[in-house]
Amino acid sequence: MLTKKQVELLTFIQSRMARDGVPPSFDEMKEALDLRSKSGIHRLVTALEERGFIRRLPHRARALEIVRLPDSIGGRVPPGTIAGPDAASAFRPEVIEGDRRPPPRNAMPVVSSSVDLPVMGRIAAGVPIEAISEVSHHIAVPGTMISGRTHHYALEVKGDSMIEAGINDGDVVVIREQTTADNGDIVVALVESNEATLKRYRRKGNMIALEAANPAYETRILGEDKVKIQGRLVGLIRSY
């Protein structure tokens, strides 16, 4: 039996993973549940982990995986996947499980498709670097990461300013090209036409905040004319 706050937190984590492909930060959890401190979130996360609903991934900052959900919000899900009403259209890692049983006699072969995306160099998850404009190489990504006919591209992450969003130095992010964003989206932002950075987007009036997911980095507040959105994060390829 889960408490009301535990269910609220699990539902929030699930919805954010469905939307962004990465777990929310502890600050975002605190804000969503209207708690005064992150210590309350730590207690809720620990309780959910002890009850087998989530798993903390080792050696990754604030990285969480949903193991199962209570019947009230969707029931059991395989590790690494996302459940809920948004699951059909959301990014989620593909999980292939072994099976020793022979396939049915008339079964059709299953083909796992992939898509080659251009890697447009490196994106700063830290101090902004020069704008990205050239293809360095291509990388194969699961076709399920790509939605519709919208153009996608990949970037190699440089820096540690997004580690609390589960994005580490050396990871490859899959970006859907678009020029608009919603508050809370992780975006590729072009700053003053010559610097590109990967940050969480917040807009208030005609000002835009580019938030890091690491307390060592300050939030940058810029006028709307100084920031151009070049894409939104839709997938992540972990580098070990």
Side-chain angles (χ1 to χ4, degrees):
M1 178 70 69
L2 297 181
T3 67
K4 182 180 178 181
K5 282 295 185 184
Q6 289 166 357
V7 172
E8 287 179 7
L9 179 59
L10 190 59
T11 302
F12 177 65
I13 293 172
Q14 178 222 359
S15 65
R16 289 302 296 269
M17 290 180 69
R19 192 190 77 178
D20 297 341
V22 293
S25 69
F26 276 42
D27 282 325
E28 290 170 326
M29 295 181 203
K30 177 174 70 71
E31 182 179 340
L33 270 67
D34 195 27
L35 297 180
R36 293 183 179 180
S37 70
K38 287 191 287 188
S39 62
I41 294 297
H42 280 283
R43 287 193 294 271
L44 290 172
V45 168
T46 299
L48 290 172
E49 185 177 30
E50 290 174 347
R51 288 162 174 76
F53 288 93
I54 64 174
R55 178 186 299 122
R56 279 189 260 210
L57 305 179
H59 311 302
R60 305 184 201 175
R62 310 282 170 82
L64 302 175
E65 179 183 54
I66 295 178
V67 177
R68 64 190 180 97
L69 297 170
D71 292 338
S72 61
I73 55 173
R76 184 173 179 82
V77 296
T81 63
I82 301 166
D86 297 325
S89 61
F91 158 73
R92 52 192 180 275
E94 294 185 4
V95 179
I96 301 174
E97 298 180 354
D99 191 342
R100 295 184 179 180
R101 296 174 298 174
R105 180 175 299 177
N106 297 323
M108 296 293 290
V110 177
V111 178
S112 178
S113 61
S114 62
V115 178
D116 280 343
L117 289 184
V119 179
M120 305 293 291
R122 308 182 81 183
I123 180 73
V127 179
I129 57 177
E130 291 184 359
I132 297 158
S133 60
E134 296 183 0
V135 177
S136 61
H137 60 285
H138 285 73
I139 188 171
V141 304
T144 51
M145 283 189 183
I146 309 303
S147 58
R149 298 181 180 180
T150 308
H151 180 64
H152 293 70
Y153 57 93
L155 297 165
E156 182 182 352
V157 175
K158 177 180 174 62
D160 62 355
S161 77
M162 298 302 290
I163 58 173
E164 292 189 3
I167 303 171
N168 299 331
D169 183 54
D171 288 347
V172 173
V173 290
V174 178
I175 304 297
R176 183 171 67 193
E177 188 172 313
Q178 58 187 67
T179 57
T180 60
D182 295 326
N183 282 343
D185 285 348
I186 296 176
V187 302
V188 173
L190 186 64
V191 180
E192 296 183 342
S193 299
N194 62 4
E195 297 176 333
T197 189
L198 185 72
K199 291 291 183 291
R200 195 173 295 281
Y201 173 93
R202 306 276 184 194
R203 183 187 184 105
K204 186 173 183 180
N206 62 354
M207 302 301 291
I208 292 173
L210 299 177
E211 297 178 352
N214 183 335
Y217 295 84
E218 294 183 355
T219 296
R220 300 184 71 186
I221 308 295
L222 301 157
E224 61 181 358
D225 60 326
K226 303 293 185 181
V227 179
K228 294 182 179 179
I229 303 302
Q230 293 192 312
R232 180 174 71 87
L233 174 74
V234 296
L236 177 70
I237 300 172
R238 177 69 65 206
S239 176
Y240 292 98

